[in-house]
Amino acid sequence: MSKQWQGLIKEYAEFLPVSDKTPIVSLGEGGTPLVYACKLSDALKNQVWLKVEGMNPTGSFKDRGMTVAISKAAEAGAKAVICASTGNTSASASAYAIKAGMKSAVLVPDGKIAMGKLAQAVVHGATLLQVAGNFDDCLVLAQELSENYPVSLVNSVNPDRIEGQKTAAFEVVDVIGEAPDIHVLPVGNAGNITAYWAGYREYFDKSFAKQKPAMWGFQAAGAAPIVDGAKVDNPETIATAIRIGNPASWKQAIAARDESGGLIDKVTDDEILAAYHYLASQEAIFVEPASAAGLAGLFKMQKENKLPTGKNIVITVTGNGLKDPQWALAGAEAAIKIPAKAEEAAIALGLI
Ligand code: F0G
């Protein structure tokens, strides 16, 4: 009989801030596929794997942090949680809150989150506040509310979120047998790059890995405060998940970059969309636009002759493409309409 993955808290309990007293709130998150990308490996002249985080229960890596944050909130007796979000955190928080029997409130930038993510918050019964402002404004509001009212903050400024998210680095090492040479991922609020770096360091310190990767992060060009060295007041990108001008974990991202000998660079929306279509059409992995920023960055580095060869590279693709399908359909050819007749179908398919 095959054994079902137990959710990341049970699988990695010894590395997480939980005890026998922690009520574990899980939807079976983690244990996501690390898919070897054959065509991409050829194209980039490296061994490239994709860590497919869209396979988590609510379709993004946020579930890793949320299972720990909500479990700890439950342990502390919380009745309600709050978060600011570009969409995925709110989808995850509202789902895990339901599982824990809590209420959730989510603050999102009005008109700037993908429809699938909005649907998730609504269907899980979150109280949804659409704020006239961007993500950064939402985060300030959420922090203020959590300080003054009886609600727990479950954004990645909550250290329990980072603890959960670091387990993705453990999984990479557990599958490949070693840390990769380079780990690539998109950067928005910068919690995830912070979490991966913490995970790789911890596995190295505990001798589960002999090396640590260089961390390569990529922001969207219209929302690249870390790269440009200044807050962005009006961030803009089609990759709404990373449309962030003042990342909460800015300092930690710089530390991850510098301690790992890595880099943080930016990619344009066109580069993001090209990588997005490459992943879907060449590697059969359908991601949301923000998730393609890492690969876009690798293509950019290759073009600029800054990509080494023969290395082990892992790219985290952070969220499922079904959350934001408009970019798959944009510019696509119109469907062929036919009567329900085999011969007409055969003609349309070029079979006769
Ligand atoms: N990719 C996706 C799909 C995301 O949803 C996010 C962040 C990131 C990448 C960037 O990760 O913030 O840890 O650097 N989404 C947050 C949200 C901000 O509210 O869902 P990060």
Side-chain angles (χ1 to χ4, degrees):
M1 205 171 87
S2 68
K3 175 180 175 287
Q4 177 164 304
W5 174 264
Q6 296 297 299
L8 63 83
I9 294 184
K10 284 195 182 150
E11 300 283 347
Y12 290 113
E14 62 192 290
F15 302 95
L16 294 169
V18 292
S19 71
D20 295 347
K21 293 189 196 68
T22 313
I24 296 175
V25 183
S26 173
L27 294 168
E29 59 296 311
T32 56
L34 189 68
V35 177
Y36 189 71
C38 302
K39 291 183 187 146
L40 200 46
S41 296
D42 280 350
L44 295 176
K45 300 188 172 55
N46 284 285
Q47 294 86 50
V48 183
W49 286 263
L50 298 166
K51 182 69 171 153
V52 186
E53 290 290 273
M55 293 292 283
N56 277 298
T58 77
S60 87
F61 71 96
K62 303 288 180 181
D63 296 340
R64 293 182 181 276
M66 210 53 75
T67 184
V68 179
I70 299 277
S71 297
K72 293 299 285 181
E75 184 176 352
K79 299 277 177 283
V81 293
I82 192 165
C83 68
S85 183
T86 56
N88 281 324
T89 300
S90 50
S92 187
S94 49
Y96 282 80
I98 287 289
K99 188 75 178 171
M102 293 177 194
K103 290 196 182 319
S104 65
V106 305
L107 280 68
V108 301
D110 191 16
K112 294 289 185 181
I113 85 166
M115 197 60 80
K117 302 173 189 177
L118 199 60
Q120 289 180 287
V122 169
V123 85
H124 292 308
T127 303
L128 180 73
L129 302 181
Q130 298 189 292
V131 178
N134 58 36
F135 169 83
D136 307 291
D137 302 316
C138 294
L139 185 55
V140 170
L141 274 183
Q143 277 174 310
E144 211 173 303
L145 288 165
S146 71
E147 279 157 24
N148 298 312
Y149 300 92
V151 283
S152 298
L153 186 68
V154 291
N155 277 107
S156 58
V157 290
N158 175 337
D160 295 326
R161 283 275 312 278
I162 304 293
E163 287 294 306
Q165 284 175 211
K166 76 182 179 188
T167 59
F170 299 165
E171 290 176 18
V172 169
V173 178
D174 289 345
V175 171
I176 301 181
E178 183 49 270
D181 300 302
I182 303 172
H183 192 108
V184 188
L185 75 176
V187 173
N189 209 28
N192 214 24
I193 191 169
T194 303
Y196 270 93
W197 182 234
Y200 282 125
R201 270 182 313 167
E202 187 168 346
Y203 249 31
F204 176 82
D205 290 343
K206 293 183 172 154
S207 300
F208 292 108
K210 292 191 199 62
Q211 67 170 21
K212 290 172 279 187
M215 300 299 302
W216 286 17
F218 292 94
Q219 299 198 287
I226 298 176
V227 184
D228 298 339
K231 276 195 275 182
V232 178
D233 289 335
N234 296 303
E236 265 318 333
T237 168
I238 57 119
T240 51
I242 52 172
R243 186 176 165 274
I244 294 174
N246 186 18
S249 299
W250 190 322
K251 282 205 192 93
Q252 295 89 323
I254 298 273
R257 178 194 70 189
D258 295 346
E259 289 167 24
S260 75
L263 58 88
I264 299 179
D265 200 348
K266 57 185 173 182
V267 285
T268 64
D269 283 358
D270 283 348
E271 289 170 326
I272 288 173
L273 283 175
Y276 165 88
H277 284 294
Y278 186 100
L279 285 168
S281 65
Q282 305 299 310
E283 295 294 350
I285 306 289
F286 184 26
V287 301
E288 62 170 289
S291 304
L295 176 58
L298 284 185
F299 282 143
K300 178 182 176 185
M301 297 299 285
Q302 187 183 39
K303 213 188 287 170
E304 295 177 352
N305 290 320
K306 291 180 190 156
L307 188 68
T309 56
K311 303 287 186 194
N312 284 347
I313 301 181
V314 171
I315 311 173
T316 298
V317 285
T318 45
N320 195 303
L322 292 170
K323 285 171 174 276
D324 192 6
Q326 86 173 92
W327 298 103
L329 298 171
E333 281 172 29
I336 305 168
K337 298 196 182 198
I338 57 154
K341 291 210 172 75
E343 199 185 346
E344 296 278 355
I347 292 168
L349 294 170
L351 299 175
I352 46 174

